[in-house]
Amino acid sequence: MVRYFVFSLLFSSALLFAQEINIEQNVTQKALLVAQQQIEQQKQLEIQKKQEIELKKYQETLSHLEGQIAQESVWMKSYYSYLTSLSVTQELKKIRKKIKTLRTGAYVVDKAELESLISKEKILATQVNSFKTKGGALFSDLLTPPEVGEIPNITNPIEIFKGVSLIKTFDTYVSDYLDRKQKLARLIELLKQEVGIYNKIVELTHDKKIIEQRDKKLKQLERFSIAFDTIKVTADVYKKRLDVIEANINKQIEEQIKRLTHIGITIFIVIFIFFLLRLAIRKYITDNDRFYMANKIITFTNFIVIALILFFSYIENVSYLVTILGFASAGIAIAMKDWFMSILGWLVIVFGGSIHVGDRIRVDMDGMKYVGDVMDISFLRMTILEDITLTSIMQNRRAGRIIFIPNNYIFSKMIANYTHSSLKTVWDGIKITITFDSNHKKAMHIVKTIARKYSKGYTDITRKQLNKLRNNYHLKNTNVEPRIYSFIADSGLDIEAWYLTNAYGTLTLRSTISTEIIDAFKAEDDITIAYTTQKINLNMQSTKEIEHNNEVV
């Protein structure tokens, strides 16, 4: 019994000990589970924070990329314009379908709604037509290179400048087109980076909106990639085509430069030969008239030879041209005689150099004299502005009119040029009459002094101008000093002073000199200005006193 009791006691103690151990193990396991859960939650929070940081970083990168993409405004504007055209086209189809339904429906139609839809249809139709005009296809304007147009053949030196300008234009075309290509390449690279970021965001979030945005970007990237393939091929073909055209133009320019060089050498030889002829006649011909005529003949011949050289150098079919000119000249001469003569007069005026724009001329037309400045020389007529001159004061009594002179008048009417070539001065004269008992020598001296004083500047200018005219004209009398003349008249002695003055301002100097002469004559006691007077001499003597008003006279 004792053994059994001891054994039972030991067994109970062991059982209690085992239960205590199990309880401790359960508590430990629960603690471990709680700790593991906390660790897992901490890891999840760290992962979530990391994802948020990465998403924020991706969003910032996307925003930066969008800013860079927006800078490629040319391509993006074209793309958005295309999308807008598609949207407008779809909207227009819906509206037309709705209008058709309203018109054919069995129920009562709301007229206000129908009119609103019709008005909207017109607006959208106008927008669709506008998109079609600008280029309905995607990137049609940007993918199409500039038109080359017709390539001219360079057949004369003037067209060399045109060829050089054309080459520069082609270089600009190629540069602009390659610049479009580079911008498109940069845009595609940015879109690829953007799509890659969208893929990373999708992996993190699996957001449907992000997936839709990514799909849109993929579609956009696909369209731009197709456009890049097109522009890449087109750019290569376009550049090679322009290179061929530029090579042909350069070849033609080189040929024209060579021809121009040969012609220049020939003309230089001709000019040198005629220069030697001028030296010869200047050495061996002493008579001025003969020298002038010989110089004119040499100059004219030199011009004709140079003109013939140029004519035969650049006219391929001379006989054909001469035939056409012959028939044309005959027809014009018969049908439009006056016009033909005016055109011929224009050629004489322009190439002869007798009248230029800005010259002051006098024209005698139908008994009237007009003095003015040439404003224009057209094919058919000259246009002059009438100025206030001595002619307008003494004869016309009016000025400021626009006078139209037919060019054919140069063959039949009197036309005087006051400012031909470098000569810008004219002779003007003042007449004043003094009495016979005046000191005429003193009066002439005073007039000459005043005229010389006020015309000195014009005298010096004219002397230089006449020296220049000697190269083209034969001049004998080149005295430019004021000239004083005296003539016996009915009422006294006429003193005339002739002096040089500006062709455009004769009245101003005439007025100044006239007042100076009057003042100078009045200051002299022995000079009297004559005018229409009567002198009565009464040589009667009377000794008889005469009563007048009760006074003895």
Side-chain angles (χ1 to χ4, degrees), residues 110-130:
D110 188 352
K111 291 184 178 181
E113 182 182 2
L114 183 59
E115 290 177 357
S116 176
L117 290 174
I118 292 173
S119 176
K120 192 173 182 180
E121 179 200 12
K122 291 180 180 179
I123 296 173
L124 294 178
T126 303
Q127 293 180 356
V128 170
N129 291 330
S130 176

PDB file of all heavy atoms in Angstrom, residues 110-130:
ATOM      1  N   ASP A 110     -39.282  67.925 -81.981  1.00  0.00           N
ATOM      2  CA  ASP A 110     -39.042  69.206 -81.324  1.00  0.00           C
ATOM      3  C   ASP A 110     -38.257  70.092 -82.304  1.00  0.00           C
ATOM      4  O   ASP A 110     -37.073  69.852 -82.579  1.00  0.00           O
ATOM      5  CB  ASP A 110     -38.238  68.989 -80.035  1.00  0.00           C
ATOM      6  CG  ASP A 110     -38.139  70.285 -79.235  1.00  0.00           C
ATOM      7  OD1 ASP A 110     -38.551  71.345 -79.750  1.00  0.00           O
ATOM      8  OD2 ASP A 110     -37.643  70.225 -78.093  1.00  0.00           O
ATOM      9  N   LYS A 111     -38.926  71.128 -82.846  1.00  0.00           N
ATOM     10  CA  LYS A 111     -38.294  71.959 -83.879  1.00  0.00           C
ATOM     11  C   LYS A 111     -37.064  72.687 -83.329  1.00  0.00           C
ATOM     12  O   LYS A 111     -36.058  72.828 -84.030  1.00  0.00           O
ATOM     13  CB  LYS A 111     -39.304  72.972 -84.408  1.00  0.00           C
ATOM     14  CG  LYS A 111     -40.421  72.342 -85.225  1.00  0.00           C
ATOM     15  CD  LYS A 111     -41.325  73.431 -85.785  1.00  0.00           C
ATOM     16  CE  LYS A 111     -42.434  72.805 -86.653  1.00  0.00           C
ATOM     17  NZ  LYS A 111     -43.325  73.843 -87.232  1.00  0.00           N
ATOM     18  N   ALA A 112     -37.152  73.162 -82.118  1.00  0.00           N
ATOM     19  CA  ALA A 112     -36.006  73.872 -81.534  1.00  0.00           C
ATOM     20  C   ALA A 112     -34.788  72.965 -81.430  1.00  0.00           C
ATOM     21  O   ALA A 112     -33.664  73.350 -81.770  1.00  0.00           O
ATOM     22  CB  ALA A 112     -36.379  74.408 -80.147  1.00  0.00           C
ATOM     23  N   GLU A 113     -35.019  71.723 -80.994  1.00  0.00           N
ATOM     24  CA  GLU A 113     -33.901  70.762 -80.897  1.00  0.00           C
ATOM     25  C   GLU A 113     -33.353  70.446 -82.270  1.00  0.00           C
ATOM     26  O   GLU A 113     -32.127  70.355 -82.464  1.00  0.00           O
ATOM     27  CB  GLU A 113     -34.384  69.494 -80.197  1.00  0.00           C
ATOM     28  CG  GLU A 113     -33.269  68.459 -80.016  1.00  0.00           C
ATOM     29  CD  GLU A 113     -33.772  67.177 -79.367  1.00  0.00           C
ATOM     30  OE1 GLU A 113     -34.997  67.093 -79.105  1.00  0.00           O
ATOM     31  OE2 GLU A 113     -32.932  66.276 -79.155  1.00  0.00           O
ATOM     32  N   LEU A 114     -34.267  70.266 -83.256  1.00  0.00           N
ATOM     33  CA  LEU A 114     -33.815  69.940 -84.617  1.00  0.00           C
ATOM     34  C   LEU A 114     -33.002  71.089 -85.213  1.00  0.00           C
ATOM     35  O   LEU A 114     -31.940  70.869 -85.824  1.00  0.00           O
ATOM     36  CB  LEU A 114     -35.033  69.638 -85.502  1.00  0.00           C
ATOM     37  CG  LEU A 114     -34.724  69.216 -86.948  1.00  0.00           C
ATOM     38  CD1 LEU A 114     -33.864  67.955 -86.965  1.00  0.00           C
ATOM     39  CD2 LEU A 114     -36.021  68.993 -87.724  1.00  0.00           C
ATOM     40  N   GLU A 115     -33.478  72.331 -85.037  1.00  0.00           N
ATOM     41  CA  GLU A 115     -32.734  73.475 -85.559  1.00  0.00           C
ATOM     42  C   GLU A 115     -31.383  73.612 -84.869  1.00  0.00           C
ATOM     43  O   GLU A 115     -30.379  73.966 -85.501  1.00  0.00           O
ATOM     44  CB  GLU A 115     -33.561  74.753 -85.357  1.00  0.00           C
ATOM     45  CG  GLU A 115     -34.798  74.825 -86.250  1.00  0.00           C
ATOM     46  CD  GLU A 115     -35.630  76.069 -85.971  1.00  0.00           C
ATOM     47  OE1 GLU A 115     -35.239  76.809 -85.038  1.00  0.00           O
ATOM     48  OE2 GLU A 115     -36.636  76.292 -86.668  1.00  0.00           O
ATOM     49  N   SER A 116     -31.347  73.337 -83.574  1.00  0.00           N
ATOM     50  CA  SER A 116     -30.066  73.401 -82.855  1.00  0.00           C
ATOM     51  C   SER A 116     -29.090  72.360 -83.387  1.00  0.00           C
ATOM     52  O   SER A 116     -27.901  72.647 -83.571  1.00  0.00           O
ATOM     53  CB  SER A 116     -30.314  73.178 -81.364  1.00  0.00           C
ATOM     54  OG  SER A 116     -29.093  73.140 -80.656  1.00  0.00           O
ATOM     55  N   LEU A 117     -29.613  71.135 -83.668  1.00  0.00           N
ATOM     56  CA  LEU A 117     -28.739  70.093 -84.205  1.00  0.00           C
ATOM     57  C   LEU A 117     -28.256  70.442 -85.609  1.00  0.00           C
ATOM     58  O   LEU A 117     -27.088  70.193 -85.954  1.00  0.00           O
ATOM     59  CB  LEU A 117     -29.490  68.755 -84.221  1.00  0.00           C
ATOM     60  CG  LEU A 117     -29.762  68.129 -82.844  1.00  0.00           C
ATOM     61  CD1 LEU A 117     -30.640  66.895 -82.996  1.00  0.00           C
ATOM     62  CD2 LEU A 117     -28.461  67.767 -82.146  1.00  0.00           C
ATOM     63  N   ILE A 118     -29.135  71.027 -86.422  1.00  0.00           N
ATOM     64  CA  ILE A 118     -28.736  71.405 -87.785  1.00  0.00           C
ATOM     65  C   ILE A 118     -27.663  72.493 -87.741  1.00  0.00           C
ATOM     66  O   ILE A 118     -26.681  72.458 -88.504  1.00  0.00           O
ATOM     67  CB  ILE A 118     -29.972  71.880 -88.586  1.00  0.00           C
ATOM     68  CG1 ILE A 118     -30.914  70.703 -88.843  1.00  0.00           C
ATOM     69  CG2 ILE A 118     -29.543  72.505 -89.913  1.00  0.00           C
ATOM     70  CD1 ILE A 118     -32.241  71.092 -89.466  1.00  0.00           C
ATOM     71  N   SER A 119     -27.835  73.461 -86.845  1.00  0.00           N
ATOM     72  CA  SER A 119     -26.830  74.522 -86.700  1.00  0.00           C
ATOM     73  C   SER A 119     -25.495  73.945 -86.242  1.00  0.00           C
ATOM     74  O   SER A 119     -24.433  74.312 -86.757  1.00  0.00           O
ATOM     75  CB  SER A 119     -27.330  75.557 -85.703  1.00  0.00           C
ATOM     76  OG  SER A 119     -26.345  76.546 -85.483  1.00  0.00           O
ATOM     77  N   LYS A 120     -25.553  73.026 -85.284  1.00  0.00           N
ATOM     78  CA  LYS A 120     -24.321  72.394 -84.811  1.00  0.00           C
ATOM     79  C   LYS A 120     -23.681  71.562 -85.898  1.00  0.00           C
ATOM     80  O   LYS A 120     -22.452  71.503 -86.019  1.00  0.00           O
ATOM     81  CB  LYS A 120     -24.646  71.529 -83.589  1.00  0.00           C
ATOM     82  CG  LYS A 120     -23.418  71.053 -82.831  1.00  0.00           C
ATOM     83  CD  LYS A 120     -23.811  70.351 -81.554  1.00  0.00           C
ATOM     84  CE  LYS A 120     -22.572  69.910 -80.765  1.00  0.00           C
ATOM     85  NZ  LYS A 120     -22.940  69.224 -79.512  1.00  0.00           N
ATOM     86  N   GLU A 121     -24.514  70.920 -86.736  1.00  0.00           N
ATOM     87  CA  GLU A 121     -23.987  70.127 -87.852  1.00  0.00           C
ATOM     88  C   GLU A 121     -23.204  71.014 -88.822  1.00  0.00           C
ATOM     89  O   GLU A 121     -22.119  70.639 -89.293  1.00  0.00           O
ATOM     90  CB  GLU A 121     -25.135  69.441 -88.581  1.00  0.00           C
ATOM     91  CG  GLU A 121     -24.655  68.606 -89.769  1.00  0.00           C
ATOM     92  CD  GLU A 121     -25.768  68.330 -90.756  1.00  0.00           C
ATOM     93  OE1 GLU A 121     -26.836  68.956 -90.655  1.00  0.00           O
ATOM     94  OE2 GLU A 121     -25.547  67.505 -91.655  1.00  0.00           O
ATOM     95  N   LYS A 122     -23.733  72.200 -89.135  1.00  0.00           N
ATOM     96  CA  LYS A 122     -23.034  73.108 -90.047  1.00  0.00           C
ATOM     97  C   LYS A 122     -21.690  73.533 -89.480  1.00  0.00           C
ATOM     98  O   LYS A 122     -20.685  73.580 -90.190  1.00  0.00           O
ATOM     99  CB  LYS A 122     -23.909  74.335 -90.308  1.00  0.00           C
ATOM    100  CG  LYS A 122     -25.154  74.036 -91.126  1.00  0.00           C
ATOM    101  CD  LYS A 122     -25.962  75.313 -91.336  1.00  0.00           C
ATOM    102  CE  LYS A 122     -27.218  75.033 -92.163  1.00  0.00           C
ATOM    103  NZ  LYS A 122     -28.032  76.257 -92.367  1.00  0.00           N
ATOM    104  N   ILE A 123     -21.679  73.837 -88.180  1.00  0.00           N
ATOM    105  CA  ILE A 123     -20.418  74.266 -87.551  1.00  0.00           C
ATOM    106  C   ILE A 123     -19.391  73.146 -87.595  1.00  0.00           C
ATOM    107  O   ILE A 123     -18.220  73.355 -87.961  1.00  0.00           O
ATOM    108  CB  ILE A 123     -20.677  74.710 -86.102  1.00  0.00           C
ATOM    109  CG1 ILE A 123     -21.580  75.950 -86.084  1.00  0.00           C
ATOM    110  CG2 ILE A 123     -19.363  74.992 -85.383  1.00  0.00           C
ATOM    111  CD1 ILE A 123     -22.028  76.362 -84.701  1.00  0.00           C
ATOM    112  N   LEU A 124     -19.820  71.934 -87.236  1.00  0.00           N
ATOM    113  CA  LEU A 124     -18.883  70.801 -87.242  1.00  0.00           C
ATOM    114  C   LEU A 124     -18.447  70.460 -88.654  1.00  0.00           C
ATOM    115  O   LEU A 124     -17.284  70.072 -88.878  1.00  0.00           O
ATOM    116  CB  LEU A 124     -19.539  69.584 -86.573  1.00  0.00           C
ATOM    117  CG  LEU A 124     -19.826  69.725 -85.067  1.00  0.00           C
ATOM    118  CD1 LEU A 124     -20.517  68.466 -84.543  1.00  0.00           C
ATOM    119  CD2 LEU A 124     -18.545  69.981 -84.289  1.00  0.00           C
ATOM    120  N   ALA A 125     -19.356  70.566 -89.635  1.00  0.00           N
ATOM    121  CA  ALA A 125     -18.986  70.296 -91.028  1.00  0.00           C
ATOM    122  C   ALA A 125     -17.919  71.286 -91.500  1.00  0.00           C
ATOM    123  O   ALA A 125     -16.976  70.916 -92.215  1.00  0.00           O
ATOM    124  CB  ALA A 125     -20.221  70.367 -91.920  1.00  0.00           C
ATOM    125  N   THR A 126     -18.061  72.545 -91.085  1.00  0.00           N
ATOM    126  CA  THR A 126     -17.042  73.551 -91.439  1.00  0.00           C
ATOM    127  C   THR A 126     -15.702  73.203 -90.827  1.00  0.00           C
ATOM    128  O   THR A 126     -14.640  73.320 -91.473  1.00  0.00           O
ATOM    129  CB  THR A 126     -17.494  74.943 -90.949  1.00  0.00           C
ATOM    130  OG1 THR A 126     -18.766  75.246 -91.509  1.00  0.00           O
ATOM    131  CG2 THR A 126     -16.493  76.007 -91.372  1.00  0.00           C
ATOM    132  N   GLN A 127     -15.707  72.752 -89.565  1.00  0.00           N
ATOM    133  CA  GLN A 127     -14.454  72.367 -88.916  1.00  0.00           C
ATOM    134  C   GLN A 127     -13.821  71.162 -89.593  1.00  0.00           C
ATOM    135  O   GLN A 127     -12.600  71.108 -89.787  1.00  0.00           O
ATOM    136  CB  GLN A 127     -14.712  72.074 -87.439  1.00  0.00           C
ATOM    137  CG  GLN A 127     -15.110  73.291 -86.622  1.00  0.00           C
ATOM    138  CD  GLN A 127     -15.355  72.951 -85.168  1.00  0.00           C
ATOM    139  OE1 GLN A 127     -15.302  71.785 -84.776  1.00  0.00           O
ATOM    140  NE2 GLN A 127     -15.639  73.971 -84.359  1.00  0.00           N
ATOM    141  N   VAL A 128     -14.664  70.181 -89.984  1.00  0.00           N
ATOM    142  CA  VAL A 128     -14.135  68.995 -90.669  1.00  0.00           C
ATOM    143  C   VAL A 128     -13.504  69.381 -91.993  1.00  0.00           C
ATOM    144  O   VAL A 128     -12.420  68.900 -92.367  1.00  0.00           O
ATOM    145  CB  VAL A 128     -15.258  67.953 -90.870  1.00  0.00           C
ATOM    146  CG1 VAL A 128     -14.784  66.837 -91.789  1.00  0.00           C
ATOM    147  CG2 VAL A 128     -15.684  67.377 -89.526  1.00  0.00           C
ATOM    148  N   ASN A 129     -14.163  70.269 -92.748  1.00  0.00           N
ATOM    149  CA  ASN A 129     -13.588  70.729 -94.019  1.00  0.00           C
ATOM    150  C   ASN A 129     -12.283  71.471 -93.798  1.00  0.00           C
ATOM    151  O   ASN A 129     -11.350  71.373 -94.596  1.00  0.00           O
ATOM    152  CB  ASN A 129     -14.590  71.627 -94.747  1.00  0.00           C
ATOM    153  CG  ASN A 129     -15.799  70.862 -95.242  1.00  0.00           C
ATOM    154  OD1 ASN A 129     -15.698  69.670 -95.560  1.00  0.00           O
ATOM    155  ND2 ASN A 129     -16.941  71.527 -95.302  1.00  0.00           N
ATOM    156  N   SER A 130     -12.227  72.222 -92.688  1.00  0.00           N
ATOM    157  CA  SER A 130     -10.985  72.924 -92.368  1.00  0.00           C
ATOM    158  C   SER A 130      -9.862  71.949 -92.085  1.00  0.00           C
ATOM    159  O   SER A 130      -8.727  72.135 -92.535  1.00  0.00           O
ATOM    160  CB  SER A 130     -11.203  73.838 -91.163  1.00  0.00           C
ATOM    161  OG  SER A 130     -10.001  74.459 -90.771  1.00  0.00           O
TER     162      SER A 130
END
